mmCIF file of all heavy atoms in Angstrom:
data_model
loop_
_atom_site.group_PDB
_atom_site.id
_atom_site.type_symbol
_atom_site.label_atom_id
_atom_site.label_comp_id
_atom_site.label_asym_id
_atom_site.label_seq_id
_atom_site.Cartn_x
_atom_site.Cartn_y
_atom_site.Cartn_z
ATOM 1 N N ALA A 1 3.435 -10.495 10.105
ATOM 2 C CA ALA A 1 4.460 -9.819 9.307
ATOM 3 C C ALA A 1 4.899 -8.527 9.979
ATOM 4 O O ALA A 1 6.096 -8.190 9.991
ATOM 5 C CB ALA A 1 3.938 -9.551 7.898
ATOM 6 N N ARG A 2 3.945 -7.807 10.565
ATOM 7 C CA ARG A 2 4.296 -6.575 11.279
ATOM 8 C C ARG A 2 5.185 -6.888 12.483
ATOM 9 O O ARG A 2 6.157 -6.173 12.753
ATOM 10 C CB ARG A 2 3.029 -5.838 11.727
ATOM 11 C CG ARG A 2 2.303 -5.111 10.603
ATOM 12 C CD ARG A 2 1.237 -4.175 11.125
ATOM 13 N NE ARG A 2 0.091 -4.883 11.679
ATOM 14 C CZ ARG A 2 -1.003 -5.215 10.983
ATOM 15 N NH1 ARG A 2 -1.086 -4.913 9.687
ATOM 16 N NH2 ARG A 2 -2.003 -5.846 11.561
ATOM 17 N N GLN A 3 4.854 -7.944 13.209
ATOM 18 C CA GLN A 3 5.674 -8.319 14.370
ATOM 19 C C GLN A 3 7.101 -8.670 13.960
ATOM 20 O O GLN A 3 8.051 -8.439 14.709
ATOM 21 C CB GLN A 3 5.033 -9.489 15.114
ATOM 22 C CG GLN A 3 3.742 -9.128 15.837
ATOM 23 C CD GLN A 3 3.168 -10.294 16.635
ATOM 24 O OE1 GLN A 3 3.851 -11.271 16.927
ATOM 25 N NE2 GLN A 3 1.900 -10.196 17.005
ATOM 26 N N LEU A 4 7.240 -9.232 12.775
ATOM 27 C CA LEU A 4 8.559 -9.605 12.258
ATOM 28 C C LEU A 4 9.244 -8.461 11.515
ATOM 29 O O LEU A 4 10.403 -8.598 11.102
ATOM 30 C CB LEU A 4 8.429 -10.802 11.315
ATOM 31 C CG LEU A 4 7.995 -12.118 11.969
ATOM 32 C CD1 LEU A 4 7.602 -13.135 10.901
ATOM 33 C CD2 LEU A 4 9.097 -12.673 12.855
ATOM 34 N N ALA A 5 8.532 -7.350 11.333
ATOM 35 C CA ALA A 5 9.041 -6.192 10.585
ATOM 36 C C ALA A 5 9.440 -6.586 9.164
ATOM 37 O O ALA A 5 10.489 -6.183 8.653
ATOM 38 C CB ALA A 5 10.205 -5.540 11.322
ATOM 39 N N LEU A 6 8.570 -7.401 8.528
ATOM 40 C CA LEU A 6 8.822 -7.855 7.166
ATOM 41 C C LEU A 6 7.617 -7.548 6.288
ATOM 42 O O LEU A 6 6.474 -7.506 6.760
ATOM 43 C CB LEU A 6 9.072 -9.363 7.148
ATOM 44 C CG LEU A 6 10.390 -9.853 7.744
ATOM 45 C CD1 LEU A 6 10.373 -11.381 7.826
ATOM 46 C CD2 LEU A 6 11.573 -9.379 6.908
ATOM 47 N N ALA A 7 7.874 -7.381 4.997
ATOM 48 C CA ALA A 7 6.781 -7.281 4.040
ATOM 49 C C ALA A 7 6.086 -8.633 3.955
ATOM 50 O O ALA A 7 6.748 -9.679 3.954
ATOM 51 C CB ALA A 7 7.311 -6.878 2.672
ATOM 52 N N PRO A 8 4.765 -8.671 3.884
ATOM 53 C CA PRO A 8 4.059 -9.952 3.790
ATOM 54 C C PRO A 8 4.571 -10.835 2.658
ATOM 55 O O PRO A 8 4.646 -12.064 2.809
ATOM 56 C CB PRO A 8 2.606 -9.533 3.570
ATOM 57 C CG PRO A 8 2.495 -8.195 4.209
ATOM 58 C CD PRO A 8 3.831 -7.539 3.965
ATOM 59 N N ALA A 9 4.932 -10.237 1.545
ATOM 60 C CA ALA A 9 5.389 -11.019 0.392
ATOM 61 C C ALA A 9 6.689 -11.771 0.664
ATOM 62 O O ALA A 9 7.034 -12.688 -0.079
ATOM 63 C CB ALA A 9 5.565 -10.109 -0.822
ATOM 64 N N ARG A 10 7.396 -11.407 1.726
ATOM 65 C CA ARG A 10 8.644 -12.085 2.067
ATOM 66 C C ARG A 10 8.422 -13.201 3.102
ATOM 67 O O ARG A 10 9.386 -13.762 3.615
ATOM 68 C CB ARG A 10 9.673 -11.088 2.600
ATOM 69 C CG ARG A 10 10.089 -10.036 1.587
ATOM 70 C CD ARG A 10 10.602 -10.653 0.300
ATOM 71 N NE ARG A 10 11.684 -11.605 0.550
ATOM 72 C CZ ARG A 10 12.102 -12.513 -0.337
ATOM 73 N NH1 ARG A 10 11.498 -12.622 -1.513
ATOM 74 N NH2 ARG A 10 13.101 -13.320 -0.054
ATOM 75 N N CYS A 11 7.168 -13.520 3.381
ATOM 76 C CA CYS A 11 6.835 -14.573 4.335
ATOM 77 C C CYS A 11 6.135 -15.724 3.623
ATOM 78 O O CYS A 11 5.447 -15.534 2.622
ATOM 79 C CB CYS A 11 5.899 -14.048 5.433
ATOM 80 S SG CYS A 11 6.549 -12.634 6.360
ATOM 81 N N VAL A 12 6.304 -16.915 4.166
ATOM 82 C CA VAL A 12 5.556 -18.079 3.710
ATOM 83 C C VAL A 12 4.757 -18.598 4.895
ATOM 84 O O VAL A 12 5.213 -18.531 6.041
ATOM 85 C CB VAL A 12 6.491 -19.178 3.154
ATOM 86 C CG1 VAL A 12 7.473 -19.664 4.208
ATOM 87 C CG2 VAL A 12 5.686 -20.347 2.603
ATOM 88 N N TYR A 13 3.543 -19.074 4.616
ATOM 89 C CA TYR A 13 2.691 -19.601 5.688
ATOM 90 C C TYR A 13 2.340 -21.046 5.375
ATOM 91 O O TYR A 13 1.948 -21.381 4.258
ATOM 92 C CB TYR A 13 1.420 -18.764 5.809
ATOM 93 C CG TYR A 13 0.518 -19.172 6.959
ATOM 94 C CD1 TYR A 13 1.009 -19.202 8.264
ATOM 95 C CD2 TYR A 13 -0.809 -19.507 6.746
ATOM 96 C CE1 TYR A 13 0.188 -19.569 9.321
ATOM 97 C CE2 TYR A 13 -1.632 -19.868 7.798
ATOM 98 C CZ TYR A 13 -1.131 -19.898 9.081
ATOM 99 O OH TYR A 13 -1.944 -20.261 10.128
ATOM 100 N N VAL A 14 2.482 -21.903 6.379
ATOM 101 C CA VAL A 14 2.205 -23.328 6.249
ATOM 102 C C VAL A 14 1.000 -23.666 7.113
ATOM 103 O O VAL A 14 1.008 -23.398 8.317
ATOM 104 C CB VAL A 14 3.415 -24.182 6.689
ATOM 105 C CG1 VAL A 14 3.174 -25.651 6.362
ATOM 106 C CG2 VAL A 14 4.701 -23.686 6.045
ATOM 107 N N GLY A 15 -0.031 -24.263 6.513
ATOM 108 C CA GLY A 15 -1.223 -24.605 7.282
ATOM 109 C C GLY A 15 -1.897 -25.858 6.765
ATOM 110 O O GLY A 15 -1.612 -26.323 5.659
ATOM 111 N N ASP A 16 -2.807 -26.396 7.581
ATOM 112 C CA ASP A 16 -3.460 -27.662 7.239
ATOM 113 C C ASP A 16 -4.959 -27.510 7.038
ATOM 114 O O ASP A 16 -5.707 -28.485 7.146
ATOM 115 C CB ASP A 16 -3.187 -28.724 8.324
ATOM 116 C CG ASP A 16 -3.908 -28.418 9.624
ATOM 117 O OD1 ASP A 16 -3.940 -27.239 10.030
ATOM 118 O OD2 ASP A 16 -4.440 -29.361 10.240
ATOM 119 N N ASP A 17 -5.400 -26.280 6.742
ATOM 120 C CA ASP A 17 -6.821 -26.023 6.525
ATOM 121 C C ASP A 17 -6.982 -25.118 5.306
ATOM 122 O O ASP A 17 -6.120 -24.270 5.042
ATOM 123 C CB ASP A 17 -7.439 -25.360 7.767
ATOM 124 C CG ASP A 17 -8.962 -25.359 7.733
ATOM 125 O OD1 ASP A 17 -9.533 -24.482 7.036
ATOM 126 O OD2 ASP A 17 -9.577 -26.219 8.375
ATOM 127 N N HIS A 18 -8.082 -25.294 4.591
ATOM 128 C CA HIS A 18 -8.330 -24.456 3.422
ATOM 129 C C HIS A 18 -8.334 -22.976 3.783
ATOM 130 O O HIS A 18 -7.889 -22.119 3.014
ATOM 131 C CB HIS A 18 -9.664 -24.853 2.777
ATOM 132 C CG HIS A 18 -9.908 -24.200 1.455
ATOM 133 N ND1 HIS A 18 -11.169 -24.046 0.925
ATOM 134 C CD2 HIS A 18 -9.050 -23.650 0.545
ATOM 135 C CE1 HIS A 18 -11.081 -23.428 -0.239
ATOM 136 N NE2 HIS A 18 -9.817 -23.182 -0.496
ATOM 137 N N ARG A 19 -8.809 -22.663 4.999
ATOM 138 C CA ARG A 19 -8.821 -21.265 5.446
ATOM 139 C C ARG A 19 -7.413 -20.677 5.480
ATOM 140 O O ARG A 19 -7.230 -19.475 5.268
ATOM 141 C CB ARG A 19 -9.442 -21.161 6.840
ATOM 142 C CG ARG A 19 -10.928 -21.463 6.899
ATOM 143 C CD ARG A 19 -11.397 -21.513 8.327
ATOM 144 N NE ARG A 19 -10.674 -22.533 9.093
ATOM 145 C CZ ARG A 19 -10.861 -22.760 10.391
ATOM 146 N NH1 ARG A 19 -11.723 -22.019 11.065
ATOM 147 N NH2 ARG A 19 -10.185 -23.710 11.011
ATOM 148 N N ASP A 20 -6.427 -21.519 5.775
ATOM 149 C CA ASP A 20 -5.047 -21.033 5.822
ATOM 150 C C ASP A 20 -4.591 -20.557 4.457
ATOM 151 O O ASP A 20 -3.938 -19.518 4.333
ATOM 152 C CB ASP A 20 -4.123 -22.152 6.325
ATOM 153 C CG ASP A 20 -4.446 -22.588 7.742
ATOM 154 O OD1 ASP A 20 -4.867 -21.729 8.541
ATOM 155 O OD2 ASP A 20 -4.295 -23.784 8.043
ATOM 156 N N VAL A 21 -4.935 -21.315 3.435
ATOM 157 C CA VAL A 21 -4.544 -20.934 2.071
ATOM 158 C C VAL A 21 -5.288 -19.673 1.640
ATOM 159 O O VAL A 21 -4.704 -18.775 1.015
ATOM 160 C CB VAL A 21 -4.801 -22.093 1.096
ATOM 161 C CG1 VAL A 21 -4.526 -21.657 -0.340
ATOM 162 C CG2 VAL A 21 -3.935 -23.301 1.454
ATOM 163 N N LEU A 22 -6.567 -19.576 1.991
ATOM 164 C CA LEU A 22 -7.330 -18.375 1.648
ATOM 165 C C LEU A 22 -6.732 -17.142 2.322
ATOM 166 O O LEU A 22 -6.609 -16.077 1.701
ATOM 167 C CB LEU A 22 -8.787 -18.552 2.074
ATOM 168 C CG LEU A 22 -9.587 -19.625 1.334
ATOM 169 C CD1 LEU A 22 -10.978 -19.786 1.958
ATOM 170 C CD2 LEU A 22 -9.709 -19.292 -0.146
ATOM 171 N N ALA A 23 -6.341 -17.277 3.589
ATOM 172 C CA ALA A 23 -5.734 -16.163 4.306
ATOM 173 C C ALA A 23 -4.383 -15.800 3.692
ATOM 174 O O ALA A 23 -4.046 -14.626 3.532
ATOM 175 C CB ALA A 23 -5.570 -16.519 5.781
ATOM 176 N N ASP A 24 -3.602 -16.827 3.366
ATOM 177 C CA ASP A 24 -2.320 -16.644 2.694
ATOM 178 C C ASP A 24 -2.447 -15.783 1.451
ATOM 179 O O ASP A 24 -1.734 -14.796 1.268
ATOM 180 C CB ASP A 24 -1.809 -18.010 2.203
ATOM 181 C CG ASP A 24 -0.830 -18.655 3.151
ATOM 182 O OD1 ASP A 24 -0.193 -17.935 3.911
ATOM 183 O OD2 ASP A 24 -0.706 -19.879 3.092
ATOM 184 N N ARG A 25 -3.329 -16.227 0.586
ATOM 185 C CA ARG A 25 -3.490 -15.557 -0.704
ATOM 186 C C ARG A 25 -3.925 -14.107 -0.510
ATOM 187 O O ARG A 25 -3.430 -13.193 -1.194
ATOM 188 C CB ARG A 25 -4.511 -16.313 -1.561
ATOM 189 C CG ARG A 25 -4.063 -17.704 -1.993
ATOM 190 C CD ARG A 25 -2.752 -17.659 -2.728
ATOM 191 N NE ARG A 25 -2.428 -18.918 -3.381
ATOM 192 C CZ ARG A 25 -1.227 -19.222 -3.846
ATOM 193 N NH1 ARG A 25 -0.248 -18.360 -3.724
ATOM 194 N NH2 ARG A 25 -1.007 -20.384 -4.437
#
């Protein structure tokens, strides 16, 4: 999000592992 200069809440993350969802949240 910092690299994109965006607030995290304005990003969506797509992943195929439970860890991805945990990191997302």
Side-chain angles (χ1 to χ4, degrees):
R2 285 192 289 268
Q3 290 183 17
L4 293 167
L6 289 172
R10 297 305 306 164
C11 303
V12 60
Y13 184 56
V14 188
D16 70 319
D17 193 280
H18 189 202
R19 292 172 301 178
D20 297 327
V21 174
L22 294 174
D24 264 335
R25 293 304 191 195

